[in-house]
Amino acid sequence: MAEMTGSTYGQLVGFVPGDVPFNWINDLDQDAIARFVEHERGDPSINVRVRASLTDPAFVIRSEADYRAVGRSPGFDLYREMCDAYDIFDGCQTKLLEGRDHFIGLALNRSRKDGKTDADTRTLFAAIAPQVRHAVKMQIALESRGAALLNGAMEYVGLPIFICDQTGVVNGKTSEAEALLSSGCFRLIDGRIGVSDPRDNAALLQTIGRLHRRQQRFETLMLRGDGQKMPLIVDICRLPVQPWRLSFSSQLLVIVRSGRRWHDAAPTILRTAFKLSAAETDIALALARGESREEIAAVRRTSVQTVKAQLKSIFAKLGVVREVELVAMLGGSFRM
């Protein structure tokens, strides 16, 4: 496109509030593009080009006259200075696609040597834009299959895994995750992942949103429930966005710890969620493994009466009254 129009650079760029998810410009150093974006972030109060097309429908062509018309405010000085430094202020642009909170734009960036766009250049650019829009829509359609492909791969992992977007909408899930839905541990409301306890539900969705907005890619969350059962431990992982992706949705894995992975976290859960001491934690887990009071006393080099006294404290903290209830409570979590 740049060659056909006699322009130094062609550009395909995506904008969401406060960010630029992708910005492709031919033959311009990626570090330079990153520095440029770091300063302006697609902000229409800074970026003259975003402001020029902000309220346009698709295929309205904007060029130098429009940049001058909207760029007279001192707030645009930084953007003009950056464009002058990179010799890319002239050119033309159009909006290709627009969503509720994002849009994708196509542009020519012309150097001083290229000169300003003339009518023939804008006509040629207008003829190219619908073909680029078709390619963009095709790419996004292909990317929408990513969750289905990922879900197929996850089936072989053997873990309860939900594949979600940045709002918590579930795009895929493993059979183990499906079992959690059937058991009532998790639920879907309008397609969005959730749990029954309102506080836990809010914490889960807030963590998903936080991972989408920040650079970190992993958080572990403890869902405490109603206190009548062991908490759920959930690892939430944001998958890296490939540089060629055009979609604006982050993919996140919500992985529910179970079996061995839950067991490894059990001491921390018992101490944090139920305030058991280190000794009480060891005794509770030993009972869950099927050890008798006598065996526990022998290993701990103490009397059975001492173990019995400690069990009373454990029962009170866990909200159970019998040993069989404690075993069922912990053992169910190990098998989940």
Side-chain angles (χ1 to χ4, degrees):
M1 181 182 69
E3 291 175 0
M4 289 177 64
T5 58
S7 305
T8 300
Y9 302 114
Q11 179 182 22
L12 184 69
V13 59
F15 296 101
V16 297
D19 199 10
V20 182
F22 61 88
N23 189 7
W24 301 350
I25 305 177
N26 61 284
D27 303 327
L28 188 61
D29 180 69
Q30 289 299 311
D31 288 339
I33 296 174
R35 288 193 296 272
F36 201 107
V37 171
E38 183 180 359
H39 285 94
E40 50 91 15
R41 291 289 175 191
D43 186 339
S45 65
I46 298 174
N47 187 317
V48 171
R49 298 191 187 215
V50 174
R51 171 66 69 85
S53 291
L54 193 61
T55 60
D56 287 344
F59 301 137
V60 174
I61 308 300
R62 299 292 181 180
S63 59
E64 293 91 350
D66 301 291
Y67 305 156
R68 288 194 299 273
V70 302
R72 295 187 178 120
S73 166
F76 295 108
D77 288 347
L78 174 62
Y79 188 81
R80 285 195 296 267
E81 290 172 6
M82 290 190 294
C83 287
D84 286 340
Y86 289 101
D87 195 14
I88 57 170
F89 189 76
D90 293 325
C92 61
Q93 66 188 53
T94 190
K95 189 183 291 183
L96 295 180
L97 290 170
E98 185 171 26
R100 181 174 56 85
D101 60 354
H102 66 267
F103 71 87
I104 297 175
L106 183 70
L108 294 174
N109 296 291
R110 295 172 65 85
S111 68
R112 296 180 183 89
K113 181 180 178 181
D114 299 333
K116 300 187 187 306
T117 57
D118 55 22
D120 289 341
T121 300
R122 289 191 291 272
T123 298
L124 181 55
F125 177 73
I128 294 171
Q131 311 308 316
V132 179
R133 171 175 160 143
H134 178 75
V136 166
K137 291 178 73 173
M138 180 67 71
Q139 176 67 18
I140 291 174
L142 291 172
E143 289 175 10
S144 70
R145 295 289 301 157
L149 296 173
L150 184 59
N151 186 56
M154 292 295 101
E155 282 294 341
Y156 293 96
V157 178
L159 293 172
I161 300 175
F162 297 92
I163 304 168
C164 303
D165 69 11
Q166 71 270 24
T167 66
V169 171
V170 175
N171 297 318
K173 53 187 177 296
T174 62
S175 54
E176 288 81 4
E178 190 73 57
L180 288 183
L181 291 174
S182 299
S183 70
C185 291
F186 280 81
R187 58 182 181 172
L188 295 182
I189 302 175
D190 296 329
R192 183 174 297 178
I193 191 170
V195 290
S196 58
D197 184 84
R199 289 173 300 178
D200 284 346
N201 194 64
L204 177 61
L205 294 178
Q206 286 169 5
T207 303
I208 289 173
R210 188 163 57 246
L211 277 176
H212 168 64
R213 293 188 300 270
R214 295 183 179 178
Q215 293 300 313
Q216 67 192 83
R217 291 184 175 173
F218 183 89
E219 278 196 41
T220 296
L221 183 65
M222 182 185 296
L223 304 179
R224 299 171 185 263
D226 56 10
Q228 301 302 310
K229 55 187 177 182
M230 291 301 291
L232 294 172
I233 301 298
V234 178
D235 298 317
I236 304 175
C237 173
R238 179 171 59 85
L239 297 178
V241 176
Q242 299 300 324
W244 43 263
R245 287 184 63 87
L246 294 179
S247 65
F248 291 86
S249 296
S250 298
Q251 293 281 0
L252 297 105
L253 301 184
V254 177
I255 307 167
V256 184
R257 293 199 192 186
S258 59
R260 182 72 251 171
R261 296 180 73 249
W262 192 98
H263 195 159
D264 291 340
T268 300
I269 296 170
L270 291 172
R271 289 195 295 269
T272 302
F274 296 99
K275 309 303 180 186
L276 267 63
S277 67
E280 290 169 343
T281 297
D282 289 343
I283 293 170
L285 293 175
L287 281 174
R289 290 192 297 267
E291 297 178 23
S292 67
R293 298 184 182 190
E294 289 75 14
E295 290 172 327
I296 294 171
V299 169
R300 296 186 60 79
R301 297 182 179 179
T302 188
S303 68
V304 174
Q305 289 302 315
T306 298
V307 172
K308 184 177 179 180
Q310 289 171 310
L311 279 174
K312 287 183 179 180
S313 174
I314 294 170
F315 290 167
K317 292 178 180 180
L318 294 183
V320 300
V321 295
R322 294 182 299 166
E323 186 175 316
V324 66
E325 294 177 43
L326 181 148
V327 173
M329 182 178 183
L330 298 183
S333 297
F334 291 150
R335 293 189 296 272
M336 184 180 63

